Amino acid sequence: MIDARYQAFDAVVQTRSFEAAARRLNLTQSAVSQRIKLLEAELGQVLLVRSKPVQPTPAGRRLLPYVAQLRLIEAEAARALAGDGAHAPVRLSVGVNADTLATWFLPAVRQVVKDEAVVLDCVVDDQDHTHALLAGGDVLGCVSTRPDAMRGCAVRPLGVMRYLCVASPEFCARHFPRGLTRQALARAPGIVFGRHDDMHDLFLRQHFGLDAGQYPQHVVPSSEGFWAMAAAGLGYGFVPAIQIAAQLSDGTLVDAAPGHAEDIALYWHHWQVQSPLMAKLSDAVADGARAVLAAA
C-alpha cells in the first residue's frame, strides 16, 4: 500500500483541493492536511501552494514523477497478489504526438494492452514538448525528439519519421504552376497542426526567406483532418509519409516539394526504474517503431 502521506499528496495534486482529496480518500480535510504536513516535515520542503486551486511547489513538482511510479507499483502489486484470475485494469499514462498516435503507436502496443488489461491514458502534445510531461509526472513514458535522457530517465532511439510537403494535384496546379516560389508561398494557404508545430515555419524560413506571419495558414489540430484538408485542395503541409502512402499511390496527394523531405528522429523516454508492466510497454513501443520507422 502506498504510504498514506504520499497518497494524500497525490490526491490533492490531482483534485487541486484539500476538500476534494478528502472526499476521494474518505477522510476528513484535517486528516489530509495533517498527512501532507508530516510529509513536508520529513522531506524538509514545502510541497503545495495553499491557493485556490492548490498547486504543487517546484519541490512538489519534482516529487510527482516518483509518486506516479509508486501508484503504478501499488496497482501491479495488487494484481500480482490477486492470483491468476481476471486482471483488474491498470492505467498507464504516455505522452505521444498526434502523428505517432495516428500511425504506428497503437499497432505497436496493441498486444500488450490486450494481454495485460492495460488502460492507456494518451496525453497528446508536440513531439518537441512531450518530455515535459514526463518530467512533470503526468506520464510514465513519452515519444520525443529529445535524444538525451533526463535525470533519472532512460532513452531509446525509435527511428526516423519522414514528412513530405503534400497537396492535391489541383492545388499545386492552381497555386504552384511553376513550382514552389517565394511569391507563390506568400499567397498559398499552408496547413499547420497548432502553435507548437514549427516544421512549416522553419521550412519556409530556411528555403524561401519567409517568416511567420508572411503567409496564410490553416490551423488543423487533427492528424487525420490535416491530410484530409490537403486532399480536399484547401492547402499544403507536412504529413508523415507512412500515413498517406495510399493517397500518394493513387494520386490524391502529390509531393509538392520533391527533395525537401523533413526527417524527424524520435526517441522513447521512460524512468530508469520501471514496473514490470511499464517495461513490457516500453519494449513493445521500441519494437513496433523499429518495424515501421526508418533507422536513424
Side-chain angles (χ1 to χ4, degrees):
M1 182 70 176
I2 186 172
D3 186 288
R5 297 165 301 172
Y6 289 97
Q7 188 181 51
F9 170 73
D10 185 39
V12 171
V13 170
Q14 289 194 38
T15 63
R16 297 188 170 190
S17 162
F18 280 86
E19 182 180 358
R23 288 196 300 269
R24 172 181 288 192
L25 298 175
N26 198 25
L27 296 169
T28 65
Q29 189 172 331
S30 175
V32 171
S33 179
Q34 183 63 25
R35 290 181 181 185
I36 290 174
K37 287 178 181 177
L38 289 172
L39 181 60
E40 290 177 326
E42 179 181 337
L43 299 178
Q45 300 273 354
V46 176
L47 301 175
L48 296 171
V49 177
R50 272 73 168 176
S51 58
K52 291 188 177 181
V54 178
Q55 298 287 342
T57 65
R61 284 194 293 272
R62 290 194 296 272
L63 185 61
L64 286 174
Y66 302 98
V67 175
Q69 291 183 81
L70 288 173
R71 194 190 318 125
L72 176 58
I73 290 171
E74 179 186 21
E76 289 196 41
R79 288 214 315 188
L81 291 173
D84 297 328
H87 289 323
V90 172
R91 180 177 297 275
L92 297 181
S93 299
V94 294
V96 293
N97 59 303
D99 291 335
T100 287
L101 189 60
T103 52
W104 61 267
F105 187 81
L106 294 180
V109 302
R110 175 178 175 271
Q111 203 61 48
V112 171
V113 170
K114 286 179 61 178
D115 293 347
E116 302 295 337
V118 168
V119 176
L120 280 180
D121 181 3
C122 296
V123 183
V124 178
D125 203 344
D126 185 82
Q127 62 262 25
D128 293 337
H129 300 271
T130 47
H131 62 272
L133 298 170
L134 183 61
D138 298 297
V139 300
L140 296 161
C142 69
V143 176
S144 172
T145 55
R146 179 170 172 163
D148 55 310
M150 295 179 292
R151 182 177 181 182
C153 293
V155 60
R156 302 190 195 187
L158 297 176
V160 171
M161 180 92 87
R162 170 157 288 192
Y163 286 76
L164 300 178
C165 182
V166 298
S168 70
E170 178 270 333
F171 184 92
C172 288
R174 178 156 45 97
H175 290 278
F176 308 134
R178 298 178 178 82
L180 298 188
T181 65
R182 192 177 192 278
Q183 292 75 20
L185 290 165
R187 295 189 300 270
I191 309 171
V192 299
F193 186 85
R195 62 187 179 88
H196 285 161
D197 180 10
D198 59 1
M199 184 182 298
H200 196 104
D201 292 341
L202 290 174
F203 172 73
L204 294 187
R205 184 181 307 122
Q206 291 173 357
H207 297 288
F208 300 95
L210 287 170
D211 291 321
Q214 293 183 310
Y215 42 85
Q217 56 185 218
H218 302 289
V219 179
V220 184
S222 161
S223 188
E224 294 82 359
F226 193 109
W227 72 258
M229 177 167 269
L234 301 178
Y236 71 101
F238 283 90
V239 182
I242 60 174
Q243 188 177 17
I244 53 169
Q247 289 74 25
L248 291 170
S249 178
D250 66 19
T252 302
L253 291 170
V254 296
D255 188 349
H260 289 290
E262 295 286 334
D263 289 338
I264 304 297
L266 297 176
Y267 303 85
W268 176 249
H269 292 255
H270 58 82
W271 292 98
Q272 285 180 342
V273 179
Q274 297 188 97
S275 72
L277 189 52
M278 191 61 199
K280 285 184 180 180
L281 189 78
S282 292
D283 288 342
V285 169
D287 292 344
R290 281 194 292 267
V292 174
L293 302 180

